[in-house]
Amino acid sequence: MLGKGPVEVETASGESGQMPQAVDTTPETGAPKRPPVRRRALTCLFVGVLCLALLVSFLDFAQRVGSISMPGDPRADAIVVLTGGTERVERAVSLLSEGRAMRLLISGVHPGTTRKQIASITSADMPLFDCCVDLDRLALNTAGNATETAAWAQSHAFRSLLVVTSAYHLPRAQAELAEALPDVDLVAYPVYPSGLDLKAWYLSPKTIHLLMREYVKYTLARLRIVATHLTSF
């Protein structure tokens, strides 16, 4: 009966013995085979190059975020501010009151937040708020901000938008908005949160962590957009 384990054989002298199981060996030395050194070296090289590429990409991202400058004379048909901090909304309302645009969309407003509360927090005049400010309560993330902003801009036939958000959030916000509104001119307006030095980001572990997290989100957003284009062919 065939089965696993040593095989009984009969020798020429009539004595029985066990046949040793085969061992995978190299033909030259008879030693057990090991993964080729060259294959391991190539794997290590690939991992090293990938890590270096990610590091360079992150450093470029951090440098771009830290060097984003304010537009000289920010003007557009309308303004969109992506919620995530009072400073963002305050700056967007201020731009509207200065006549930099005709209308403002505050995207990502909490369902329980009222217009009067926002006007009070931003010290906005209620007549201006009532006539020219729209609230988006549906967006839950940056991709949602882009979807709702696109619907709003298209309904008003706006051809240009001032995009107001934190400087570190701008690359991802612009990527999402550019995908949703390819024919609309986007003017980036960065807001630098107080207490956050993005120009010297490498001196603060907290800022480094913030930028690394945002870099991952930005990279994933870009990959999703590219994948969407590839699958649409």
Side-chain angles (χ1 to χ4, degrees):
M1 180 175 179
L2 295 177
K4 294 183 178 179
V7 180
E8 294 285 344
V9 297
E10 186 172 326
T11 62
S13 62
E15 297 178 352
S16 62
Q18 290 184 342
M19 178 183 291
Q21 291 180 315
V23 177
D24 192 15
T25 61
T26 59
E28 295 83 0
T29 64
K33 286 185 178 180
R34 296 178 180 177
V37 174
R38 183 178 180 184
R39 184 185 304 169
R40 294 201 303 271
L42 288 175
T43 300
C44 292
L45 178 62
F46 174 77
V47 173
V49 170
L50 179 61
C51 291
L52 180 61
L54 289 173
L55 176 61
V56 171
S57 180
F58 168 71
L59 292 176
D60 177 69
F61 174 82
Q63 176 63 28
R64 284 192 291 125
V65 167
S67 61
I68 295 176
S69 58
M70 296 284 187
D73 184 24
R75 294 185 183 278
D77 292 342
I79 305 167
V80 59
V81 56
L82 281 61
T83 57
T86 303
E87 293 172 310
R88 301 182 189 182
V89 181
E90 287 177 338
R91 194 69 199 105
V93 171
S94 177
L95 288 169
L96 179 67
S97 64
E98 293 170 6
R100 301 288 180 175
M102 298 180 293
R103 200 164 191 86
L104 165 65
L105 173 67
I106 304 177
S107 180
V109 176
H110 189 276
T113 304
T114 66
R115 298 175 64 86
K116 184 174 290 188
Q117 287 174 326
I118 298 175
S120 176
I121 291 172
T122 59
S123 301
D125 295 331
M126 280 308 298
L128 174 68
F129 209 89
D130 290 335
C131 85
C132 305
V133 178
D134 298 310
L135 304 183
D136 156 42
R137 302 180 186 274
L138 298 178
L140 300 176
N141 50 37
T142 306
N145 292 141
T147 299
E148 297 305 318
T149 301
W152 175 77
Q154 290 165 358
S155 68
H156 291 283
F158 293 139
R159 306 304 301 167
S160 59
L161 289 178
L162 271 173
V163 180
V164 180
T165 189
S166 297
Y168 63 83
H169 185 225
L170 260 176
R172 181 158 57 104
Q174 283 189 290
E176 297 282 13
L177 285 167
E179 177 67 12
L181 289 165
D183 299 323
V184 173
D185 184 26
L186 303 175
V187 181
Y189 192 97
V191 175
Y192 289 91
S194 57
L196 190 65
D197 187 0
L198 292 176
K199 293 186 182 299
W201 59 270
Y202 45 85
L203 298 178
S204 168
K206 181 180 178 180
T207 307
I208 293 173
H209 181 264
L210 171 67
L211 289 178
M212 289 182 67
R213 186 175 60 189
E214 185 59 33
Y215 169 72
V216 170
K217 293 180 179 180
Y218 168 74
T219 302
L220 291 176
R222 293 291 302 174
L223 290 174
R224 176 177 50 77
I225 291 171
V226 170
T228 301
H229 282 284
L230 291 176
T231 55
S232 65
F233 288 129

